[in-house]
Amino acid sequence: MSGQADIYQELGLTVLGPLIARFLIWLARKVREEPHLQLCFLSREGFLLLRCYEHFRGLPAVQQEFGALPGGIYLLSSRTALMAAAQKSEDSQVESLLKNHAFEGELSELFRVRFGCSSDTLKMVAAREGCGKVSLPRDLVRVVGIAMRYREALDHDAKLCREAYLRYLEGMNFFSKLPVGIVDIGFSATQQQYLFLMTEQPMIGYYFLTTLNVRNKQSAQNRVTACFAENVDPYCAPAIFRHNLLLEGMLAAPHGQLLGFETAATGSVEPVFNADRVPAEHWENILQIGGGALRYLDLLSAANPGCLSSVQFNDDLLQESLVDLVKAQTPIDISHLRLTVEDDFCGNGMIDVIAQSRLVSSAWDNRQRSDCTGASLAKRMA
Protein backbone atom coordinates (compact mmCIF):
# COMPACT_ATOMS: atom_id res chain seq x y z
CA MET A 1 0.00 0.00 0.00
CA SER A 2 1.20 3.55 -0.68
CA GLY A 3 0.24 7.03 0.44
CA GLN A 4 -0.68 8.40 3.86
CA ALA A 5 -4.37 7.51 3.44
CA ASP A 6 -3.44 3.88 2.79
CA ILE A 7 -1.36 3.78 5.98
CA TYR A 8 -4.32 4.85 8.09
CA GLN A 9 -6.68 2.45 6.32
CA GLU A 10 -4.24 -0.39 6.92
CA LEU A 11 -4.05 0.58 10.58
CA GLY A 12 -7.83 0.24 10.81
CA LEU A 13 -7.86 -3.01 8.86
CA THR A 14 -5.08 -4.83 10.74
CA VAL A 15 -5.03 -3.31 14.25
CA LEU A 16 -8.27 -1.56 15.18
CA GLY A 17 -10.60 -3.70 13.05
CA PRO A 18 -9.88 -7.05 14.75
CA LEU A 19 -10.21 -5.47 18.22
CA ILE A 20 -13.54 -3.88 17.27
CA ALA A 21 -14.81 -7.12 15.71
CA ARG A 22 -13.95 -9.13 18.82
CA PHE A 23 -15.77 -6.59 20.99
CA LEU A 24 -18.87 -6.30 18.78
CA ILE A 25 -19.37 -10.06 18.50
CA TRP A 26 -19.12 -10.27 22.29
CA LEU A 27 -21.51 -7.31 22.63
CA ALA A 28 -24.04 -8.91 20.26
CA ARG A 29 -24.12 -12.06 22.39
CA LYS A 30 -24.55 -10.01 25.57
CA VAL A 31 -27.27 -7.81 24.11
CA ARG A 32 -29.37 -10.85 23.20
CA GLU A 33 -29.45 -11.74 26.90
CA GLU A 34 -31.06 -8.38 27.74
CA PRO A 35 -34.26 -7.81 25.73
CA HIS A 36 -35.42 -4.27 24.92
CA LEU A 37 -32.09 -2.69 25.80
CA GLN A 38 -31.37 0.96 24.99
CA LEU A 39 -27.69 1.13 23.94
CA CYS A 40 -25.87 4.39 24.67
CA PHE A 41 -22.37 4.85 23.21
CA LEU A 42 -20.53 7.37 25.35
CA SER A 43 -18.55 10.19 23.83
CA ARG A 44 -15.98 10.54 22.60
CA GLU A 45 -14.80 7.03 21.69
CA GLY A 46 -18.42 6.10 21.12
CA PHE A 47 -18.62 8.31 18.03
CA LEU A 48 -16.77 5.88 15.75
CA LEU A 49 -17.58 2.85 17.87
CA LEU A 50 -21.29 3.48 17.24
CA ARG A 51 -20.59 3.84 13.53
CA CYS A 52 -18.88 0.42 13.57
CA TYR A 53 -21.74 -1.10 15.58
CA GLU A 54 -24.45 0.20 13.24
CA HIS A 55 -22.50 -1.10 10.25
CA PHE A 56 -21.99 -4.43 12.00
CA ARG A 57 -25.64 -4.97 12.97
CA GLY A 58 -26.71 -4.20 9.40
CA LEU A 59 -24.56 -6.95 7.84
CA PRO A 60 -26.62 -9.91 6.50
CA ALA A 61 -24.36 -12.43 8.26
CA VAL A 62 -24.90 -10.65 11.59
CA GLN A 63 -28.66 -10.45 11.15
CA GLN A 64 -28.75 -14.12 10.19
CA GLU A 65 -26.93 -15.14 13.35
CA PHE A 66 -28.05 -12.62 15.97
CA GLY A 67 -31.35 -11.37 14.60
CA ALA A 68 -32.33 -7.72 14.88
CA LEU A 69 -29.93 -6.09 17.31
CA PRO A 70 -31.09 -2.85 18.97
CA GLY A 71 -29.95 0.44 17.52
CA GLY A 72 -27.64 2.69 19.48
CA ILE A 73 -27.46 6.39 20.26
CA TYR A 74 -24.44 8.63 20.73
CA LEU A 75 -24.65 10.06 24.25
CA LEU A 76 -22.62 13.16 25.01
CA SER A 77 -20.73 12.65 28.26
CA SER A 78 -17.44 13.18 30.04
CA ARG A 79 -16.07 12.79 33.53
CA THR A 80 -15.99 16.58 33.85
CA ALA A 81 -19.64 17.09 32.88
CA LEU A 82 -21.02 14.15 34.83
CA MET A 83 -19.04 14.78 38.00
CA ALA A 84 -20.16 18.41 37.98
CA ALA A 85 -23.81 17.46 37.48
CA ALA A 86 -23.93 14.63 40.02
CA GLN A 87 -21.87 16.19 42.82
CA LYS A 88 -22.95 17.40 46.23
CA SER A 89 -20.68 19.55 48.38
CA GLU A 90 -20.23 16.96 51.11
CA ASP A 91 -16.72 16.39 52.40
CA SER A 92 -16.68 12.72 51.36
CA GLN A 93 -17.97 13.35 47.84
CA VAL A 94 -15.71 16.33 47.18
CA GLU A 95 -12.77 14.22 48.27
CA SER A 96 -13.85 11.38 45.97
CA LEU A 97 -13.94 13.79 43.01
CA LEU A 98 -10.34 14.69 43.69
CA LYS A 99 -8.43 11.78 45.17
CA ASN A 100 -8.84 9.09 42.52
CA HIS A 101 -7.54 11.11 39.56
CA ALA A 102 -4.18 12.87 39.35
CA PHE A 103 -3.99 16.52 38.36
CA GLU A 104 -1.24 19.04 37.66
CA GLY A 105 -2.18 22.66 37.03
CA GLU A 106 -3.75 25.84 38.38
CA LEU A 107 -6.32 25.69 41.18
CA SER A 108 -8.98 27.48 39.12
CA GLU A 109 -8.52 25.00 36.26
CA LEU A 110 -8.96 22.14 38.72
CA PHE A 111 -12.23 23.68 39.93
CA ARG A 112 -13.37 24.06 36.32
CA VAL A 113 -12.70 20.47 35.19
CA ARG A 114 -13.70 18.68 38.41
CA PHE A 115 -16.60 20.78 39.75
CA GLY A 116 -17.89 22.41 36.57
CA CYS A 117 -17.72 25.83 38.21
CA SER A 118 -19.23 28.87 36.53
CA SER A 119 -17.01 31.74 35.40
CA ASP A 120 -18.23 33.81 38.40
CA THR A 121 -17.20 31.08 40.84
CA LEU A 122 -13.83 30.66 39.13
CA LYS A 123 -13.16 34.40 39.35
CA MET A 124 -14.08 34.39 43.03
CA VAL A 125 -11.80 31.45 43.78
CA ALA A 126 -8.92 33.01 41.83
CA ALA A 127 -9.36 36.36 43.60
CA ARG A 128 -9.38 34.84 47.08
CA GLU A 129 -7.05 31.85 46.69
CA GLY A 130 -4.72 33.04 43.94
CA CYS A 131 -3.77 31.19 40.75
CA GLY A 132 -1.09 28.95 42.19
CA LYS A 133 -0.35 25.47 40.94
CA VAL A 134 -1.70 22.39 42.69
CA SER A 135 -0.82 18.74 42.39
CA LEU A 136 -3.07 15.80 43.19
CA PRO A 137 -2.94 13.63 45.17
CA ARG A 138 -0.14 15.52 46.96
CA ASP A 139 -2.28 18.58 47.82
CA LEU A 140 -5.53 16.66 48.42
CA VAL A 141 -6.17 17.80 52.01
CA ARG A 142 -5.48 21.47 51.21
CA VAL A 143 -7.66 21.44 48.07
CA VAL A 144 -10.58 19.75 49.86
CA GLY A 145 -10.34 22.43 52.56
CA ILE A 146 -10.45 25.17 49.93
CA ALA A 147 -13.42 23.56 48.19
CA MET A 148 -15.37 23.41 51.45
CA ARG A 149 -15.05 27.19 51.78
CA TYR A 150 -17.07 27.52 48.58
CA ARG A 151 -19.73 24.97 49.45
CA GLU A 152 -22.63 27.29 48.61
CA ALA A 153 -21.19 28.29 45.21
CA LEU A 154 -20.39 24.66 44.35
CA ASP A 155 -23.94 23.58 45.18
CA HIS A 156 -25.39 26.41 43.08
CA ASP A 157 -23.24 25.57 40.05
CA ALA A 158 -23.89 21.82 40.43
CA LYS A 159 -27.65 22.44 40.47
CA LEU A 160 -27.46 24.34 37.18
CA CYS A 161 -25.22 21.66 35.63
CA ARG A 162 -27.56 18.91 36.78
CA GLU A 163 -30.75 20.60 35.52
CA ALA A 164 -29.26 21.22 32.07
CA TYR A 165 -27.83 17.70 31.81
CA LEU A 166 -31.14 16.11 32.82
CA ARG A 167 -32.94 18.16 30.17
CA TYR A 168 -30.48 16.88 27.58
CA LEU A 169 -31.05 13.29 28.71
CA GLU A 170 -34.80 13.76 28.51
CA GLY A 171 -34.42 14.98 24.95
CA MET A 172 -32.43 11.83 24.15
CA ASN A 173 -35.28 9.69 25.55
CA PHE A 174 -32.88 8.41 28.19
CA PHE A 175 -35.67 8.03 30.72
CA SER A 176 -37.73 5.55 28.72
CA LYS A 177 -38.81 2.38 30.50
CA LEU A 178 -36.04 0.46 28.72
CA PRO A 179 -32.94 -0.55 30.71
CA VAL A 180 -29.85 1.39 29.64
CA GLY A 181 -26.82 -0.30 28.14
CA ILE A 182 -23.68 1.85 28.45
CA VAL A 183 -21.01 1.12 25.83
CA ASP A 184 -17.48 2.45 26.27
CA ILE A 185 -13.85 1.38 26.20
CA GLY A 186 -13.53 1.43 30.00
CA PHE A 187 -11.93 1.15 32.42
CA SER A 188 -13.29 2.23 35.81
CA ALA A 189 -16.93 2.85 34.77
CA THR A 190 -16.69 6.33 36.29
CA GLN A 191 -19.09 7.95 33.84
CA GLN A 192 -21.61 5.16 34.32
CA GLN A 193 -21.38 5.57 38.09
CA TYR A 194 -22.23 9.27 37.92
CA LEU A 195 -24.95 8.73 35.33
CA PHE A 196 -26.53 6.23 37.68
CA LEU A 197 -26.22 8.53 40.70
CA MET A 198 -27.84 11.37 38.76
CA THR A 199 -30.64 9.44 37.03
CA GLU A 200 -31.18 6.24 39.10
CA GLN A 201 -31.86 4.43 35.82
CA PRO A 202 -31.06 0.67 35.78
CA MET A 203 -27.84 0.25 33.81
CA ILE A 204 -25.51 -2.38 32.39
CA GLY A 205 -22.06 -1.27 31.28
CA TYR A 206 -20.35 -3.04 28.39
CA TYR A 207 -16.63 -2.34 28.26
CA PHE A 208 -13.47 -3.50 26.55
CA LEU A 209 -11.85 -3.98 29.97
CA THR A 210 -12.50 -3.04 33.59
CA THR A 211 -10.13 -2.57 36.51
CA LEU A 212 -10.45 -3.35 40.19
CA ASN A 213 -11.98 0.10 40.71
CA VAL A 214 -15.40 -1.06 39.45
CA ARG A 215 -15.94 -3.62 42.20
CA ASN A 216 -17.36 -1.13 44.70
CA LYS A 217 -19.48 0.70 42.13
CA GLN A 218 -21.79 -2.16 41.17
CA SER A 219 -25.23 -3.11 42.41
CA ALA A 220 -28.24 -5.03 41.17
CA GLN A 221 -29.37 -1.89 39.33
CA ASN A 222 -25.93 -0.79 38.13
CA ARG A 223 -23.96 -3.67 36.61
CA VAL A 224 -20.70 -3.83 34.68
CA THR A 225 -19.19 -6.45 32.39
CA ALA A 226 -16.20 -6.49 30.04
CA CYS A 227 -15.00 -8.24 26.91
CA PHE A 228 -11.25 -8.71 27.23
CA ALA A 229 -10.80 -8.79 31.01
CA GLU A 230 -12.62 -7.82 34.21
CA ASN A 231 -11.41 -6.47 37.56
CA VAL A 232 -7.83 -6.12 36.33
CA ASP A 233 -5.05 -4.93 38.62
CA PRO A 234 -3.62 -1.88 36.80
CA TYR A 235 -0.12 -2.84 37.98
CA CYS A 236 -0.18 -5.97 35.82
CA ALA A 237 -2.78 -4.92 33.26
CA PRO A 238 -2.80 -6.30 29.70
CA ALA A 239 -1.69 -4.31 26.65
CA ILE A 240 -5.14 -2.93 25.83
CA PHE A 241 -5.10 -1.11 29.17
CA ARG A 242 -1.48 0.03 28.99
CA HIS A 243 -2.04 1.44 25.50
CA ASN A 244 -5.54 2.76 26.01
CA LEU A 245 -4.44 6.16 24.69
CA LEU A 246 -3.69 4.55 21.34
CA LEU A 247 -7.17 3.07 21.26
CA GLU A 248 -8.70 6.41 22.27
CA GLY A 249 -6.67 8.18 19.61
CA MET A 250 -7.98 5.90 16.87
CA LEU A 251 -11.55 6.25 18.19
CA ALA A 252 -11.61 10.02 18.39
CA ALA A 253 -14.56 12.34 17.75
CA PRO A 254 -14.74 15.57 15.74
CA HIS A 255 -15.57 17.66 18.83
CA GLY A 256 -13.67 18.49 21.99
CA GLN A 257 -14.37 17.16 25.46
CA LEU A 258 -17.86 17.87 26.77
CA LEU A 259 -17.74 20.50 29.52
CA GLY A 260 -21.47 20.49 30.18
CA PHE A 261 -24.71 21.96 28.88
CA GLU A 262 -26.17 25.43 28.97
CA THR A 263 -29.63 26.80 28.29
CA ALA A 264 -29.74 28.98 25.19
CA ALA A 265 -31.90 32.12 24.85
CA THR A 266 -34.42 30.04 22.92
CA GLY A 267 -34.77 27.69 25.89
CA SER A 268 -33.01 24.79 24.20
CA VAL A 269 -30.14 22.96 25.88
CA GLU A 270 -26.84 23.19 24.00
CA PRO A 271 -23.61 21.26 24.64
CA VAL A 272 -20.47 23.17 25.57
CA PHE A 273 -17.25 21.61 24.31
CA ASN A 274 -13.63 22.27 25.18
CA ALA A 275 -11.91 24.31 22.48
CA ASP A 276 -9.18 21.66 22.20
CA ARG A 277 -10.19 19.12 19.59
CA VAL A 278 -8.71 16.84 16.97
CA PRO A 279 -7.24 19.08 14.23
CA ALA A 280 -9.12 18.93 10.93
CA GLU A 281 -6.22 17.30 9.10
CA HIS A 282 -5.97 14.63 11.81
CA TRP A 283 -9.71 13.99 11.66
CA GLU A 284 -9.40 12.91 8.04
CA ASN A 285 -6.84 10.34 9.20
CA ILE A 286 -9.21 9.10 11.90
CA LEU A 287 -11.92 8.56 9.29
CA GLN A 288 -9.47 6.53 7.21
CA ILE A 289 -8.73 4.34 10.22
CA GLY A 290 -12.45 3.87 10.80
CA GLY A 291 -12.92 2.95 7.16
CA GLY A 292 -10.28 0.24 7.50
CA ALA A 293 -12.07 -1.16 10.57
CA LEU A 294 -15.37 -1.29 8.65
CA ARG A 295 -13.61 -3.13 5.85
CA TYR A 296 -12.39 -5.73 8.35
CA LEU A 297 -15.96 -6.26 9.60
CA ASP A 298 -17.09 -6.82 6.02
CA LEU A 299 -14.36 -9.36 5.32
CA LEU A 300 -14.88 -11.23 8.59
CA SER A 301 -18.65 -11.51 8.20
CA ALA A 302 -18.36 -12.61 4.56
CA ALA A 303 -15.91 -15.35 5.53
CA ASN A 304 -18.01 -16.58 8.47
CA PRO A 305 -21.71 -16.36 7.52
CA GLY A 306 -23.93 -17.52 10.37
CA CYS A 307 -21.03 -18.55 12.59
CA LEU A 308 -19.35 -15.36 13.80
CA SER A 309 -19.78 -16.50 17.41
CA SER A 310 -17.51 -19.44 16.73
CA VAL A 311 -14.62 -17.32 15.41
CA GLN A 312 -11.67 -17.96 17.69
CA PHE A 313 -9.84 -14.72 18.44
CA ASN A 314 -6.51 -14.81 20.26
CA ASP A 315 -6.96 -11.92 22.69
CA ASP A 316 -3.25 -11.78 23.52
CA LEU A 317 -2.29 -11.43 19.86
CA LEU A 318 -5.00 -8.84 19.25
CA GLN A 319 -3.63 -6.71 22.06
CA GLU A 320 0.00 -7.31 21.13
CA SER A 321 -0.76 -5.62 17.81
CA LEU A 322 -0.92 -2.37 19.81
CA VAL A 323 2.48 -3.09 21.35
CA ASP A 324 3.99 -3.95 17.96
CA LEU A 325 2.63 -0.74 16.51
CA VAL A 326 4.16 1.38 19.28
CA LYS A 327 7.52 -0.40 18.99
CA ALA A 328 7.49 -0.07 15.20
CA GLN A 329 7.56 -3.87 14.89
CA THR A 330 4.98 -3.84 12.13
CA PRO A 331 4.98 -3.23 8.37
CA ILE A 332 2.89 -0.12 8.98
CA ASP A 333 5.09 2.98 8.89
CA ILE A 334 3.96 5.13 11.81
CA SER A 335 6.75 7.70 11.50
CA HIS A 336 4.22 10.26 10.25
CA LEU A 337 1.25 9.01 12.27
CA ARG A 338 -0.54 11.87 14.02
CA LEU A 339 -2.95 10.96 16.82
CA THR A 340 -3.86 13.22 19.75
CA VAL A 341 -6.02 12.92 22.87
CA GLU A 342 -7.14 15.85 25.03
CA ASP A 343 -6.80 15.36 28.81
CA ASP A 344 -7.56 18.63 30.61
CA PHE A 345 -9.27 16.53 33.29
CA CYS A 346 -5.83 15.62 34.65
CA GLY A 347 -4.16 18.85 33.54
CA ASN A 348 -2.26 17.27 30.65
CA GLY A 349 -3.76 19.25 27.77
CA MET A 350 -3.31 17.70 24.31
CA ILE A 351 -1.32 14.47 24.40
CA ASP A 352 0.73 13.12 21.51
CA VAL A 353 -0.56 9.54 21.53
CA ILE A 354 2.41 7.88 19.84
CA ALA A 355 5.02 9.68 21.96
CA GLN A 356 3.16 8.93 25.20
CA SER A 357 2.57 5.31 24.19
CA ARG A 358 6.29 4.87 23.58
CA LEU A 359 7.04 6.24 27.05
CA VAL A 360 4.53 3.80 28.57
CA SER A 361 6.00 0.91 26.58
CA SER A 362 9.55 1.77 27.68
CA ALA A 363 8.52 2.08 31.33
CA TRP A 364 6.68 -1.25 31.16
CA ASP A 365 9.67 -3.03 29.60
CA ASN A 366 12.01 -1.58 32.23
CA ARG A 367 9.74 -2.73 35.02
CA GLN A 368 9.43 -6.19 33.51
CA ARG A 369 13.21 -6.48 33.34
CA SER A 370 13.49 -5.24 36.93
CA ASP A 371 10.90 -7.77 38.11
CA CYS A 372 12.67 -10.59 36.28
CA THR A 373 16.03 -9.57 37.74
CA GLY A 374 14.56 -9.44 41.24
CA ALA A 375 12.88 -12.84 40.83
CA SER A 376 16.12 -14.37 39.53
CA LEU A 377 18.10 -12.93 42.43
CA ALA A 378 15.56 -14.19 44.96
CA LYS A 379 15.69 -17.65 43.39
CA ARG A 380 19.51 -17.74 43.63
CA MET A 381 19.40 -16.64 47.26
CA ALA A 382 16.74 -19.19 48.24
Side-chain angles (χ1 to χ4, degrees):
M1 304 179 74
S2 61
Q4 287 297 307
D6 289 342
I7 291 174
Y8 290 102
Q9 288 176 14
E10 187 177 359
L11 181 58
L13 179 66
T14 62
V15 178
L16 182 62
L19 288 166
I20 294 292
R22 167 74 171 92
F23 176 75
L24 292 181
I25 292 172
W26 170 85
L27 180 63
R29 291 199 299 262
K30 289 291 184 180
V31 165
R32 288 202 304 179
E33 299 171 2
E34 301 288 342
H36 312 299
L37 197 65
Q38 178 180 214
L39 285 181
C40 298
F41 289 71
L42 301 186
S43 63
R44 288 170 289 177
E45 294 88 330
F47 186 88
L48 289 177
L49 195 55
L50 174 58
R51 181 184 175 194
C52 289
Y53 172 76
E54 291 295 339
H55 182 84
F56 173 79
R57 79 184 187 97
L59 293 171
V62 173
Q63 294 176 347
Q64 176 186 348
E65 183 170 354
F66 298 105
L69 295 172
I73 63 171
Y74 182 57
L75 195 72
L76 292 175
S77 67
S78 71
R79 290 179 296 182
T80 291
L82 284 167
M83 283 181 168
Q87 70 166 301
K88 296 178 181 177
S89 62
E90 301 168 354
D91 290 25
S92 59
Q93 188 167 7
V94 167
E95 183 174 339
S96 72
L97 293 176
L98 299 171
K99 72 176 182 180
N100 293 322
H101 307 280
F103 179 86
E104 298 287 338
E106 293 184 358
L107 178 65
S108 58
E109 179 65 8
L110 175 64
F111 271 54
R112 182 181 74 86
V113 299
R114 295 295 169 88
F115 301 121
C117 290
S118 65
S119 57
D120 289 341
T121 299
L122 293 177
K123 290 176 183 177
M124 178 172 59
V125 172
R128 296 180 182 178
E129 309 295 338
C131 299
K133 301 282 187 178
V134 294
S135 176
L136 295 178
R138 185 194 68 194
D139 300 325
L140 177 63
V141 174
R142 181 169 72 89
V143 173
V144 170
I146 293 173
M148 288 299 96
R149 294 201 284 271
Y150 301 93
R151 188 188 301 261
E152 184 176 340
L154 292 181
D155 281 343
H156 175 265
D157 290 347
K159 181 175 181 292
L160 295 179
C161 290
R162 185 161 48 251
E163 289 174 349
Y165 212 132
L166 289 174
R167 285 188 61 195
Y168 164 72
L169 292 175
E170 288 172 358
M172 296 297 292
N173 201 31
F174 187 85
F175 296 100
S176 67
K177 295 182 180 180
L178 299 179
V180 176
I182 299 296
V183 183
D184 198 9
I185 292 178
F187 298 94
S188 300
T190 302
Q191 294 190 57
Q192 179 180 336
Q193 177 193 16
Y194 285 104
L195 265 174
F196 178 73
L197 288 174
M198 185 169 59
T199 67
E200 298 183 347
Q201 286 287 102
M203 294 181 190
I204 308 172
Y206 300 100
Y207 298 94
F208 276 61
L209 177 145
T210 58
T211 64
L212 291 171
N213 293 334
V214 306
R215 291 184 302 179
N216 297 326
K217 299 177 182 178
Q218 298 190 66
S219 65
Q221 296 296 306
N222 187 36
R223 294 178 282 154
V224 172
T225 185
C227 173
F228 290 96
E230 295 182 342
N231 300 323
V232 168
D233 182 349
Y235 186 80
C236 53
I240 200 169
F241 177 82
R242 302 197 307 274
H243 295 299
N244 65 83
L245 275 182
L246 186 55
L247 202 57
E248 290 180 29
M250 292 189 288
L251 289 171
H255 56 78
Q257 184 189 68
L258 178 71
L259 298 179
F261 295 89
E262 61 182 20
T263 303
T266 59
S268 63
V269 175
E270 302 294 337
V272 179
F273 297 110
N274 197 333
D276 287 339
R277 52 181 290 182
V278 176
E281 62 273 20
H282 293 187
W283 177 242
E284 291 302 317
N285 299 335
I286 299 299
L287 291 178
Q288 294 290 344
I289 294 173
L294 295 179
R295 176 61 176 156
Y296 182 85
L297 293 175
D298 289 339
L299 294 172
L300 183 69
S301 63
N304 299 274
C307 57
L308 284 169
S309 292
S310 63
V311 175
Q312 297 296 312
F313 289 96
N314 186 315
D315 286 355
D316 291 336
L317 288 180
L318 290 180
Q319 296 179 63
E320 282 303 311
S321 66
L322 298 173
V323 178
D324 292 341
L325 187 68
V326 171
K327 293 183 175 181
Q329 297 174 345
T330 170
I332 302 176
D333 179 12
I334 64 169
S335 59
H336 300 291
L337 188 64
R338 295 293 179 266
L339 295 173
T340 55
V341 169
E342 179 269 312
D343 185 27
D344 283 0
F345 185 81
C346 293
N348 295 319
M350 293 297 287
I351 298 174
D352 183 318
V353 169
I354 299 300
Q356 184 64 27
S357 295
R358 285 173 173 163
L359 289 175
V360 170
S361 180
S362 177
W364 176 265
D365 289 344
N366 289 337
R367 201 189 78 192
Q368 293 295 99
R369 284 192 291 269
S370 176
D371 289 348
C372 289
T373 300
S376 177
L377 179 60
K379 184 175 181 180
R380 288 199 301 270
M381 294 177 64

